Amino acid sequence: GHTFLTGDTMCCFDCELMPRLQHIRVAGKYFLDFEIPVELEHLWRYMYHMYQLDAFTQSCPADQDIINHYKLQQGMKMKKHEELETPTFTTSIPVSIATED
């Protein structure tokens, strides 16, 4: 019944969790074709509220930066064209969640 983890205002736990969820979402999709199940409505609603915050969207790395971070950790080589791509930011949510709020 709350917007964020501990209530209706963002706290330090939200600042720790949401970037990790974003990494799981972006890297999981890229490397494992994993998507967060739509059935996890509370998680999606939480992410929806975080995506509405300028504090999150302005500090969130681009999808390519997240992917490149994990590629570098695995010792994978990046292609030159990857460095020149226009940054993308995954902030979409299932339609059923967006229409509830």
Side-chain angles (χ1 to χ4, degrees), residues 4 17 67 81:
F4 300 105
L17 178 61
I67 292 164
H81 71 84

Side-chain angles (χ1 to χ4, degrees), residues 5-101:
L5 290 177
T6 60
D8 290 325
T9 57
M10 194 169 72
C11 70
C12 62
F13 301 117
D14 297 299
C15 295
E16 292 284 330
L17 178 61
M18 190 57 196
R20 288 184 170 106
L21 288 172
Q22 189 70 7
H23 278 243
I24 289 168
R25 185 176 187 195
V26 172
K29 178 66 177 163
Y30 183 84
F31 291 105
L32 302 172
D33 200 29
F34 168 79
E35 295 197 31
I36 297 171
V38 176
E39 297 80 27
L40 299 178
E41 292 178 21
H42 294 289
L43 180 61
W44 279 110
R45 195 168 296 114
Y46 172 73
M47 293 172 66
Y48 170 79
H49 289 294
M50 290 300 289
Y51 288 147
Q52 303 305 306
L53 297 175
D54 287 341
F56 179 75
T57 58
Q58 291 177 12
S59 64
C60 184
D63 295 353
Q64 291 90 334
D65 293 333
I66 293 171
I67 292 164
N68 289 338
H69 168 77
Y70 290 101
K71 281 184 174 182
L72 290 173
Q73 275 191 338
Q74 296 175 358
M76 297 171 75
K77 301 227 185 255
M78 292 189 307
K79 299 176 183 102
K80 285 289 184 197
H81 71 84
E82 289 178 327
E83 296 173 6
L84 301 175
E85 289 179 353
T86 302
T88 59
F89 297 89
T90 299
T91 58
S92 60
I93 57 163
V95 173
S96 60
I97 302 300
T99 57
E100 289 178 13
D101 286 330

